[in-house]
Amino acid sequence: MAPRPVVTCFLRTDGEILLLCRSDAVGSYPGRWGGVAGHVADDGGDPTAPDRDPETAARAEIAEATGLEHAVTLASRGEPFSVADGTDDWLVHPFLFDCDSRAVRTNAETAETAWVQPPEILRRETVPRLWTAYDRVRPRVATVREDRTHGSSWLSVRALEVLREEAAAVVEGHRDDGETVERPSDDWDGLAALARSLRDARPSMAVLENRINRTMLAASDGRSPETVETAAGRAVEQVCAADREAARAAAEALPARIATLSRSGTVQETLHEAAPDAVLVAESRPGREGIGVAEALAASTDVTLTTDAALAFELDDWDAEAVLVGADRILPDGRLVNKVGTRGAVLSAAAADCEVFVVAASDKIAPEDGYDLEPRSREEVYDGAADVAVTNPTFDVTPADPVTAVLTEQGRLDAAEIQAVAAAHRDWQAWDDG
């Protein structure tokens, strides 16, 4: 008989995932911890009925088990794997969803819930091979390197998760198939090499470099997988709090009519906190991630979506009072490296008599000068046969003078304070000296 298909879903927020303790009302593994789980089949008693698509089943189980179906966004889907427990054979389809709420509403099948950092899976009594399911969907270096949708703060948290999860797996001696083995990164040198790969995955993003450096510096006294896991776990908590505090501080400074572009998680949180009367959003080509921002805000405020080319005109015609942007890298001299289009928006703000606010955790201040504009594929701009030179940078550089204020969890930073933070960030590189 073929194994029965089931789904296991992890809901993630602020670097933690939701675990459910199975109650006595379930037929298997009562008292053990698992993710949101259920059968792919929905036959209503008819064994000949077709199975649901696994993702459809996953979303249905999230609705039934947590009530959070409207708060989740699919982050990753893993390769299915088989589990045989001596009684039944299962084909597990793993899923990871980002979730913007912790307001879990359980049913009779759950005795207890817990939001935990994922390595906790390795230390609890769980359903069979729960770590394997998570391992199939957790972030990797490629997640950080290849993502062109999320902002740098989001990616920095993913990078810290990669470091934390790999160190935890080394500590507990696990790998994908659940066996106890020696891993290739089973010492400080292996984890340090992983940290360098993560740090260098997105050269434009100072926050990624700084947060990896600070974590490894904190772990360098013990120079062990245990100290790396502990430092990375603490870092995830700290940076999520810093990003939220930066958003709260910036929200207090904003007027009623705000223009923005691209997709920054910190900008989105700031706008939700500020609750402006109206928001103008540039679509931000070529990825058009501004559309997602407009959609996310539409339920709570008056939103206008415009093209990048029209933004300079719309700032004046739409009566914008301020331009709000995030940052991928703030250079020591105050210049801003951010999604292409930022320079034009900021320089246009002066002509439209708008203030310009940059909201970012202070970790986005680069330790040194220099930047990478991360060129994208020429085919996104032109795929014809003519001999045409094409430039398609992901980021551009904005001068410091037009910026009204850089708003961080430390408050407003002036030029001297930005330079002082940059110097502190240079000290974090000491873990990798020599």
Side-chain angles (χ1 to χ4, degrees):
M1 180 181 295
R4 288 191 284 176
V6 295
V7 294
T8 292
C9 311
F10 300 97
L11 308 189
R12 176 179 67 192
T13 185
D14 288 345
E16 295 182 331
I17 58 171
L18 176 65
L19 294 185
L20 309 177
C21 184
R22 298 164 68 86
S23 75
D24 292 336
V26 297
S28 59
Y29 309 113
R32 296 199 191 184
W33 292 89
V36 175
H39 294 274
V40 172
D42 185 22
D43 55 27
D46 177 7
T48 66
D51 287 353
R52 297 175 290 183
D53 170 80
E55 184 179 337
T56 301
R59 293 181 180 276
E61 294 298 332
I62 290 169
E64 182 179 343
T66 71
L68 293 172
E69 68 275 15
H70 299 300
V72 299
T73 303
L74 181 63
S76 94
R77 175 176 180 167
E79 285 295 317
F81 61 95
S82 297
V83 174
D85 65 359
T87 303
D88 290 294
D89 291 339
W90 314 94
L91 183 65
V92 181
H93 294 265
F95 291 87
L96 174 65
F97 291 85
D98 280 322
C99 186
D100 61 14
S101 173
R102 294 192 179 213
V104 180
R105 187 181 68 249
T106 61
N107 58 23
E109 295 182 351
T110 297
E112 187 180 354
T113 67
W115 290 93
V116 301
Q117 295 203 358
E120 185 71 11
I121 293 171
L122 297 169
R123 290 151 192 153
R124 294 196 178 204
E125 187 176 6
T126 70
V127 299
R129 297 187 67 187
L130 187 63
W131 179 259
T132 300
Y134 179 71
D135 195 60
R136 297 271 171 123
V137 294
R138 70 181 176 93
R140 296 298 206 277
V141 175
T143 309
V144 179
R145 184 177 58 245
E146 297 169 9
D147 185 286
R148 292 297 183 271
T149 302
H150 295 93
S152 58
S153 287
W154 188 94
L155 289 171
S156 74
V157 176
R158 301 292 82 80
L160 291 170
E161 289 172 352
V162 174
L163 195 57
R164 177 188 64 190
E165 264 85 271
E166 184 65 22
V170 171
V171 171
E172 298 297 328
H174 283 69
R175 68 175 183 182
D176 177 58
D177 61 8
E179 296 177 358
T180 300
V181 295
E182 182 179 350
R183 298 173 67 93
S185 53
D186 62 355
D187 57 13
W188 169 263
D189 290 340
L191 290 169
L194 174 64
R196 293 184 193 100
S197 296
L198 289 163
R199 185 186 61 189
D200 299 339
R202 301 297 295 274
S204 63
M205 297 181 176
V207 66
L208 206 158
E209 174 186 1
N210 288 330
R211 287 174 171 175
I212 291 293
N213 280 338
R214 180 172 56 198
T215 299
M216 294 302 288
L217 183 64
S220 61
D221 285 344
R223 296 175 66 88
S224 69
E226 289 83 359
T227 60
V228 173
E229 182 196 345
T230 298
R234 289 175 179 168
V236 169
E237 296 174 354
Q238 292 165 356
V239 303
C240 289
D243 290 339
R244 285 193 298 270
E245 184 55 37
R248 280 194 290 268
E252 297 175 359
L254 297 184
R257 296 178 67 82
I258 309 296
T260 190
L261 78 161
S262 190
R263 177 176 178 174
S264 160
T266 311
V267 166
Q268 281 188 244
E269 190 162 350
T270 300
L271 292 172
H272 282 300
E273 287 277 343
D277 293 341
V279 179
L280 174 67
V281 183
E283 62 178 338
S284 197
R285 288 181 180 263
R288 304 182 74 194
E289 57 270 21
I291 293 175
V293 174
E295 291 174 338
L297 296 171
S300 58
T301 192
D302 181 12
V303 176
T304 300
L305 183 67
T306 191
T307 63
D308 293 354
L311 181 61
F313 170 75
E314 292 291 347
L315 288 176
D316 189 39
D317 191 59
W318 187 79
D319 293 328
E321 296 175 89
V323 170
L324 175 68
V325 297
D328 286 282
R329 191 176 190 89
I330 300 172
L331 299 176
D333 62 5
R335 286 178 296 159
L336 176 68
V337 181
N338 198 50
K339 178 65 194 293
V340 66
T342 301
R343 181 186 180 101
V346 169
L347 295 180
S348 298
D353 197 27
C354 290
E355 294 184 297
V356 176
F357 295 106
V358 178
V359 56
S362 61
D363 287 347
K364 291 191 174 182
I365 297 173
E368 297 167 342
D369 220 347
Y371 49 83
D372 184 335
L373 300 183
E374 294 193 17
R376 298 171 66 114
S377 166
R378 76 185 305 276
E379 285 74 24
E380 288 183 325
V381 176
Y382 179 70
D383 61 358
D387 185 14
V388 176
V390 174
T391 63
N392 185 20
T394 300
F395 304 103
D396 62 21
V397 184
T398 300
D401 289 346
V403 174
T404 305
V406 175
L407 307 172
T408 76
E409 80 284 2
Q410 298 181 20
R412 292 188 180 216
L413 298 185
D414 61 24
E417 289 167 328
I418 289 172
Q419 290 174 1
V421 172
H425 292 174
R426 285 194 291 275
D427 293 339
W428 296 349
Q429 298 170 342
W431 76 269
D432 203 23
D433 288 347

